[in-house]
Amino acid sequence: MEKNNEIYHDQEIGRKLKELRTEKKLSMRTVGEKLGINYTYISKIENGYIPSVKLLKDICEIYDIELKDLFGESKPVPKELREVGVEWITFAKEMQEQELTPDKIKEYIDIIKRFKDV
């Protein structure tokens, strides 16, 4: 991050934001409209200008990521996975390690249901 006339620039954050916007297939104009700001400001941000934390949070909300995902080497966790939770993700990994496919698990559930109905 470089300081230039009291304005902070961070090319990495700008690059990540541009990547996220293009992955979501959003134009700068669309993002600007959602935020209530001029789209040229989105361009400035993507070129490294650091906006307020509030605006960064609002941008992250549009891109379905958390603010912390912009910093460091972490990759954003999709919203759907965040909602599932660690316990279910761990369970799915354990089932995969046991070579249990989703279809096989559904089959076992059906068997258990039949036994319960007897």
Side-chain angles (χ1 to χ4, degrees):
M1 184 180 333
E2 61 187 74
K3 185 176 178 183
N4 183 0
N5 295 328
E6 298 302 316
I7 296 174
Y8 289 91
H9 292 271
D10 191 324
Q11 301 297 328
E12 185 65 20
I13 290 175
R15 184 192 59 72
K16 285 181 180 180
L17 288 171
K18 183 175 184 174
E19 224 172 73
L20 289 162
R21 179 179 58 76
T22 55
E23 283 174 13
K24 295 277 185 186
K25 296 180 174 49
L26 296 171
S27 68
M28 283 189 266
R29 189 173 302 274
T30 300
V31 174
E33 287 171 0
K34 288 180 181 230
L35 294 168
I37 61 175
N38 192 299
Y39 75 94
T40 58
Y41 194 59
I42 300 300
S43 177
K44 287 181 182 180
I45 294 168
E46 290 181 358
N47 284 304
Y49 176 79
I50 303 298
S52 70
V53 172
K54 163 102 173 75
L55 184 55
L56 273 177
K57 285 181 179 179
D58 292 344
I59 292 170
C60 289
E61 189 173 308
I62 290 170
Y63 298 159
D64 289 326
I65 65 165
E66 295 181 33
L67 184 62
K68 69 179 177 62
D69 295 328
L70 292 178
F71 304 95
E73 295 300 317
S74 70
K75 295 285 184 193
V77 176
K79 185 178 180 180
E80 296 81 17
L81 285 179
R82 286 195 312 264
E83 290 172 355
V84 167
V86 175
E87 183 179 3
W88 283 104
I89 294 170
T90 303
F91 176 73
K93 184 153 182 69
E94 289 171 5
M95 295 301 99
Q96 187 177 32
E97 288 169 359
Q98 296 293 323
E99 297 181 6
L100 290 171
T101 65
D103 288 336
K104 197 67 169 169
I105 293 170
K106 288 174 188 172
E107 185 181 321
Y108 291 151
I109 291 170
D110 287 340
I111 292 169
I112 292 168
K113 283 181 180 177
R114 278 187 258 143
F115 277 115
K116 284 176 107 176
D117 290 340
V118 174

